[in-house]
Amino acid sequence: MTSSSPAPDPRRAPGLLILAGLAAGLSTPARAQQESPEPADAPAQEQPPPLPDEEQPPAQAGEVIVIYGEREVQRLRGELDGIIEDGGYKEGRRRGDETIYRPEIPWKPTIVVHEEGMVELKRSPVRWMAPGRPDNPLNQLWCLPPFTPMCVRIGGQIVATAKLDAAKGRVMDSIHDPSEDWRQAIANQATWTRVNQEVPARLEAAWTRGEPLEPGGPALPSPVQRRAAMLDLWATRADGPEGHMVAQVVADYLEHVVQASPDPVTPAEQDAANARAGGVRRLDLPGLAAETEGSAATPDPG
């Protein structure tokens, strides 16, 4: 019979023999009769040898990467839509950059969701609704004269302000958290787009073609002006998540592109940028820190 177990590792053979000898010397005769030894060509629970270093799976980094994408925005918007419809509202109707949700009960407030993230509650307008089941087309006959008033629903116009405000409060309580999550996802996506697309594109256009870094800013014809504009952009970003992200993109561009060019940042320019940052952040481009310290420590021979 051929065993399907993997062959023993030759490096482990001496250890296996020693353990087998100890087990044989310590076992009792009764136990020896009850237990039959395993075949030599099929060691019990033998583990395969470790993979070489190049075949080992990559280690997981101890960090969390947040991706701000359109899919997350759409997912949160879908959750908001579901909560609104479950709260007694019809399916939303798109009109321009907003979606309108009409309530099943005419006097309840209308919900207007704007694509930029704002949610608005309004008094529901006069509605045209045939009595009976809405899926029965024969019910529309009730809207013909002289029965036309039976299809007019004016509840949203005559409901008391106090009652309407109370209904608005209940609706806002139910949709506040999902609407805030959706709005935050929109802001995060805009930040991600700006940091990873807009800022690198503006830096490249400024350094290679002398275009202004900010819309409406002055042109940058010389390398000195271009470096000054980039260092100013780095130093003046706000002390917040978005500001630090933009500043990091600028610092990376300075390190990998500007410093590798014939017109790199000088130690004096870096010191001035750090002074302007006011301790919020610090720029340490490769080669400039040591040069600055050496120039400060070496006295002038004159």
Side-chain angles (χ1 to χ4, degrees):
M1 180 180 298
T2 302
S3 174
S4 60
S5 300
D9 192 342
R11 296 171 295 180
R12 300 182 181 178
L16 294 177
L17 294 175
I18 294 175
L19 293 176
L22 291 176
L26 295 177
S27 58
T28 60
R31 185 176 179 180
Q33 295 177 359
Q34 295 175 1
E35 297 180 5
S36 59
E38 295 183 0
D41 59 343
Q45 302 298 328
E46 178 68 20
Q47 298 296 328
L51 295 174
D53 294 340
E54 60 272 9
E55 298 182 11
Q56 293 289 348
Q60 299 294 330
E63 59 183 8
V64 178
I65 300 177
V66 181
I67 300 178
Y68 308 106
E70 181 65 25
R71 182 176 299 180
E72 179 68 8
V73 174
Q74 293 177 355
R75 184 187 69 81
L76 293 174
R77 175 60 187 272
E79 292 183 358
L80 176 61
D81 292 343
I83 292 176
I84 292 176
E85 294 174 5
D86 292 343
Y89 283 81
K90 299 180 179 180
E91 184 178 355
R93 292 185 177 183
R94 184 70 177 268
R95 188 179 65 184
D97 63 344
E98 61 186 23
T99 305
I100 302 175
Y101 300 85
R102 300 297 186 190
E104 298 287 353
I105 302 176
W107 63 265
K108 287 190 175 183
T110 294
I111 303 176
V112 181
V113 179
H114 299 267
E115 291 305 311
E116 65 270 16
M118 185 179 68
V119 178
E120 185 179 6
L121 301 182
K122 295 182 177 181
R123 183 184 291 269
S124 296
V126 176
R127 297 168 58 182
W128 182 271
M129 181 186 300
R133 295 176 53 184
D135 58 348
N136 187 358
L138 296 178
N139 289 333
Q140 301 297 327
L141 297 176
W142 289 102
C143 301
L144 299 176
F147 306 106
T148 303
M150 298 184 62
C151 296
V152 178
R153 299 289 186 270
I154 60 175
Q157 299 298 306
I158 63 175
V159 64
T161 302
K163 185 176 181 180
L164 180 62
D165 290 342
K168 287 182 178 180
R170 289 191 294 270
V171 172
M172 186 55 66
D173 289 342
S174 64
I175 66 174
H176 177 268
D177 290 344
S179 64
E180 286 297 318
D181 293 340
W182 174 57
R183 185 182 299 110
Q184 186 61 45
I186 294 176
N188 292 341
Q189 184 190 20
T191 300
W192 186 261
T193 301
R194 169 174 166 77
V195 170
N196 291 273
Q197 297 180 15
E198 295 180 8
V199 174
R202 289 184 180 180
L203 291 171
E204 183 68 15
W207 182 246
T208 59
R209 299 188 296 273
E211 297 181 7
L213 275 176
E214 297 292 343
L220 309 169
S222 68
V224 176
Q225 293 172 315
R226 298 170 189 178
R227 295 196 304 268
M230 293 182 184
L231 291 170
D232 181 72
L233 180 66
W234 173 86
T236 57
R237 295 309 89 191
D239 186 8
E242 181 179 0
H244 291 307
M245 291 170 68
V246 173
Q248 185 60 49
V249 173
V250 178
D252 292 341
Y253 190 88
L254 291 171
E255 176 180 349
H256 298 291
V257 178
V258 176
Q259 294 306 97
S261 70
D263 301 294
V265 175
T266 65
E269 291 173 342
Q270 177 175 265
D271 293 342
N274 285 326
R276 186 167 186 182
V280 174
R281 61 183 62 90
R282 180 172 179 79
L283 183 64
D284 291 313
L285 296 175
L288 291 188
E291 183 178 351
T292 303
E293 294 174 358
S295 61
T298 303
D300 187 359

